[in-house]
Amino acid sequence: MEHKRITLFAGHYGSGKTNIAVNYTLALKARRDMVMLADLDIVNPYYRAKDSARELEEKGIRVISSFFANSNVDLPALPQEIYAITDDRRWACVLDVGGDDRGALALGRLVPAIREENDYEMLLVINRFRPLTRDAESVMEVVSEIEAACRLPFTGIVNNSNLGAETTAEDILGSLRYAEEVSRLSGLPIAMTTIEEKLMPALQGKIENLFPMKLQKRPTE
Amino acid sequence: MAEKVLMKGNEAIAEAALMAGCRHYFGYPITPQTELTAYMAKRLPKMDGVFLQAESELAAINMVIGVSAAGKRVMTSSSSPGISLKGEGLSYLAGCDLPAFVVNVQRGGPGLGGIQPSQSDYFQATRGTHGDYRTIVLAPDSVQEMVSLTIKGFELADKYRMTAMLLADGTLGQMMEPVSLDQGEIVTFEKPWAANGTKMQRPNNIINSLSLIPEELEQWNLTRFKRYDIVEQNEVMYEEYMMEDAEICLVSFGITARVSKNAIAEARAKGIKAGMIRPITLWPFPKKPLLAAAQKVKAFVTVEMNMGQMIEDVELATRCLKPVISCTRCGGVIPSPNDVMAAIDKACEIGGAAK
């Protein structure tokens, strides 16, 4: 798993960024020390990276998240600690960016330093089963809106096409053409195709750069 | 059948409203329903529709009154405190006999409360604001049902010239599930009463809730309530779940009905014959099936995310023939299957059911 110092996951609202960011962070921690996950989501009130904070912190991963995430306070604020992402280059950082251009706006303040260091990967998360990004043309609209909002260009694509728990191996295989079309229109390479772990036996060897994941759930008491 | 898509509850309501022919949305953002507003803002302009973020909830509901009076399908949506602000307009809609579709994705209260999910607006939704009137209240328990009940809501609103409210909660609004958007034919109605231009071919249609003559106002109310009687006779919706042999009957709506189903599986595994009646329309309330169940079961358990509101309707519907145990969490907390299981155990003891 080659990686840049900063890996950002951005894309359309509800495309699966948080789930991927958490799984990617866990995979990264298995390879190296000093890994941090930063939850930059200022859009979602719940179902956030902070839901997985305990699991991540038990594995020694540093989690940066709004003090108000998952609380009763609806405040789109980010903690000052986020400057550690660009100030402290010892850490490998995974950034979970909020959905659409509205979410990507929060990234703006970090972008000059990220550009200057130039050791980042900004991945576009796409899901063919989301109604507003069902074809490559609609994805391209989202791409230009996000890039305009955060002033950072994407470098690759994560094909996260899924129907939640109902996803079949055929759904994934059927999404490959869609991902290739997005790749063709955007000129971006497909960095990975994500699948739920249970689909691994059915798909292993059939798709390049498969990334198996566990579905992160909201902890119940 | 069309391929399924993955949607948030809030988005699914918006998409279903568009499918139902709604091209006018007026609202003001509030967590946890804002995705609905955002979705409409993206989609409606591309469909030659009108999306308007009003300056306030009061403005939004009055814009709904205007468009409804003109005979078009129209909606607004909010979360608990925002619905309170729209309360006056809801009563005016009723007084004018205007159809409207209104969504409440509930959060914890009272007051500003919080942004986590709740069902604490049950009283408000089923009882309404000032004046004698009724609201059709639809309570989905899945993203799929948010689609079907939104389409149904527009239909019922037009059919009976009244407000249909979709009463969801933050969990349903925020959760993602696969849904089919294949919902069959959309039922529409002629609106000869609409104030949409006489073309010099008919007298003016006047839409108004003010009457200067008490006897006239009384007559308006009597006529309206005859229509409500028909709604109560024809439009009750509910789901019966494992009730054939049930000794304990859970009553729950929306997201807590799903928790209850998990608890029922657990109870059955322990040998307790539990089942559920899930009201889908909270008004008209499924009184008849509940009264029939009261003849058979040993006790009822109501499961709600509030301090116990629907329990009053269950006690009324069952004429208190059997004990009703209340299982509630509030303030944004969802009851766990264990909470429900504890209430089922208690109901077995009080009602004398086999455990």
Side-chain angles (χ1 to χ4, degrees):
Chain A
M1 187 165 144
E2 277 183 42
H3 68 91
K4 302 280 188 186
R5 195 182 73 75
I6 298 176
T7 309
L8 304 100
F9 292 97
H12 176 47
Y13 191 69
S15 56
K17 298 170 293 296
T18 299
N19 197 48
I20 296 168
V22 170
N23 277 278
Y24 186 85
T25 308
L26 287 165
L28 200 57
K29 184 67 178 71
R31 304 256 166 160
R32 60 159 288 166
D33 281 333
M34 299 196 80
V35 172
M36 108 172 38
L37 172 67
D39 170 9
L40 296 188
D41 194 338
I42 54 162
V43 183
N44 255 344
Y46 19 103
Y47 299 112
R48 311 176 48 122
K50 202 174 186 176
D51 293 334
S52 307
R54 186 189 278 185
E55 184 192 347
L56 294 165
E57 281 164 356
E58 275 171 6
K59 294 205 162 80
I61 293 164
R62 180 175 172 190
V63 179
I64 295 180
S65 184
S66 166
F67 177 74
F68 303 109
N70 287 343
S71 77
N72 252 340
V73 184
D74 195 5
L75 205 59
L78 292 168
Q80 62 193 22
E81 210 186 346
I82 64 162
Y83 289 108
I85 296 165
T86 46
D87 288 355
D88 190 346
R89 295 186 181 180
R90 293 171 302 163
W91 293 84
C93 305
V94 179
L95 273 57
D96 178 21
V97 183
D100 288 337
D101 46 349
R102 291 170 287 151
L105 207 58
L107 201 56
R109 70 174 92 176
L110 295 173
V111 163
I114 293 175
R115 274 180 180 277
E116 191 202 324
E117 183 192 2
N118 198 23
D119 189 5
Y120 74 93
E121 191 164 29
M122 166 122 147
L123 297 173
L124 167 69
V125 180
I126 57 172
N127 179 358
R128 193 178 84 82
F129 295 96
R130 291 284 291 148
L132 297 188
T133 55
R134 287 185 66 78
D135 52 55
E137 287 76 18
S138 345
V139 175
M140 291 312 294
E141 265 183 55
V142 175
V143 166
S144 53
E145 284 166 8
I146 291 177
E147 288 182 342
C150 70
R151 310 183 305 279
L152 196 64
F154 284 105
T155 60
I157 296 166
V158 177
N159 178 19
N160 183 49
S161 293
N162 77 89
L163 262 178
E166 288 183 19
T167 316
T168 64
E170 288 68 39
D171 291 333
I172 305 287
L173 291 168
S175 75
L176 297 179
R177 267 184 67 180
Y178 160 79
E180 280 157 16
E181 184 62 12
V182 175
S183 173
R184 193 183 65 77
L185 284 184
S186 63
L188 301 169
I190 301 172
M192 57 178 130
T193 297
T194 54
I195 56 166
E196 224 187 314
E197 263 176 351
K198 64 177 184 192
L199 293 177
M200 201 57 180
L203 291 169
Q204 201 152 24
K206 291 185 181 162
I207 303 171
E208 272 180 69
N209 301 327
L210 265 186
F211 183 67
M213 305 192 299
K214 278 199 179 92
L215 185 63
Q216 299 297 313
K217 287 189 176 157
R218 206 180 183 198
T220 47
E221 52 198 75
Chain B
M1 200 172 102
E3 197 176 49
K4 284 189 176 180
V5 289
L6 188 66
M7 296 190 90
K8 273 203 168 199
N10 287 333
E11 300 170 334
I13 297 169
E15 187 61 42
L18 298 174
M19 287 162 62
C22 174
R23 293 292 179 274
H24 297 81
Y25 175 95
F26 306 98
Y28 190 86
I30 179 169
T31 307
Q33 69 79 50
T34 297
E35 292 82 5
L36 204 170
T37 313
Y39 196 94
M40 287 301 201
K42 267 209 155 72
R43 293 272 277 135
L44 271 170
K46 292 178 184 168
M47 304 173 80
D48 272 339
V50 175
F51 167 86
L52 204 150
Q53 179 173 325
E55 68 270 34
S56 71
E57 283 84 353
L58 270 74
I61 194 72
N62 281 286
M63 291 169 187
V64 167
I65 294 174
V67 170
S68 179
K72 299 290 184 189
R73 285 198 163 171
V74 57
M75 73 174 289
T76 187
S77 63
S78 192
S79 180
S80 308
I83 294 293
S84 292
L85 288 167
K86 286 169 180 160
E88 182 192 54
L90 291 173
S91 180
Y92 278 58
L93 279 162
C96 296
D97 295 308
L98 286 173
F101 184 67
V102 176
V103 179
N104 182 359
V105 182
Q106 298 164 93
R107 55 191 253 181
L112 206 46
I115 60 169
Q116 300 291 328
S118 98
Q119 298 175 330
S120 52
D121 304 342
Y122 179 92
F123 281 155
Q124 187 196 47
T126 57
R127 270 57 173 177
T129 51
H130 73 275
D132 276 312
Y133 76 95
R134 287 296 192 180
T135 306
I136 294 171
V137 184
L138 304 158
D141 76 340
S142 67
V143 178
Q144 186 69 62
E145 214 170 64
M146 288 166 117
V147 172
S148 57
L149 291 182
T150 293
I151 292 170
K152 185 78 181 171
F154 276 101
E155 179 188 326
L156 293 174
D158 279 354
K159 188 174 178 184
Y160 297 105
R161 292 179 63 182
M162 57 192 291
T163 295
M165 178 182 282
L166 190 86
L167 190 69
D169 68 81
T171 305
L172 284 167
Q174 293 296 323
M175 69 197 277
M176 289 180 92
E177 285 185 322
V179 289
S180 162
L181 294 174
D182 191 6
Q183 293 291 317
E185 206 180 320
I186 301 299
V187 183
T188 55
F189 296 85
E190 292 294 317
K191 296 181 176 175
W193 47 263
N196 54 358
T198 64
K199 301 186 177 70
M200 308 295 276
Q201 282 165 6
R202 60 162 173 81
N204 290 320
N205 282 337
I206 295 176
I207 292 166
N208 172 34
S209 67
L210 171 72
S211 170
L212 301 180
I213 309 156
E215 288 75 17
E216 181 187 62
L217 186 54
E218 181 182 44
Q219 196 53 52
W220 289 356
N221 276 297
L222 292 173
T223 309
R224 192 169 297 130
F225 269 71
K226 276 184 189 146
R227 214 162 62 238
Y228 293 162
D229 286 343
I230 301 170
V231 178
E232 284 206 89
Q233 277 163 32
N234 297 339
E235 307 298 349
V236 174
M237 288 189 275
Y238 61 96
E239 178 196 0
E240 276 198 353
Y241 180 74
M242 303 189 102
M243 282 299 293
E244 296 77 18
D245 61 346
E247 293 192 324
I248 303 295
C249 176
L250 279 67
V251 189
S252 190
F253 64 97
I255 193 69
T256 47
R258 287 169 69 144
V259 179
S260 300
K261 281 184 181 173
N262 290 336
I264 287 168
E266 208 179 302
R268 293 245 164 201
K270 286 168 69 178
I272 301 170
K273 289 177 179 163
M276 177 166 63
I277 293 177
R278 173 173 74 92
I280 297 172
T281 48
L282 301 181
W283 192 89
F285 197 66
K287 293 177 193 168
K288 281 183 192 162
L290 281 164
L291 187 58
Q295 316 288 339
K296 297 192 322 193
V297 304
K298 302 264 167 68
F300 291 88
V301 175
T302 53
V303 187
E304 317 174 65
M305 292 195 292
N306 52 45
M307 288 302 291
Q309 299 189 13
M310 181 192 59
I311 186 171
E312 295 187 6
D313 282 337
V314 174
E315 285 177 337
L316 276 171
T318 60
R319 317 264 161 87
C320 294
L321 287 173
K322 297 287 161 61
V324 186
I325 312 299
S326 177
C327 173
T328 66
R329 298 297 299 264
C330 62
V333 185
I334 303 173
S336 69
N338 287 344
D339 291 334
V340 182
M341 197 56 228
I344 293 175
D345 279 333
K346 192 173 162 194
C348 286
E349 281 159 29
I350 293 173
K355 293 178 63 167

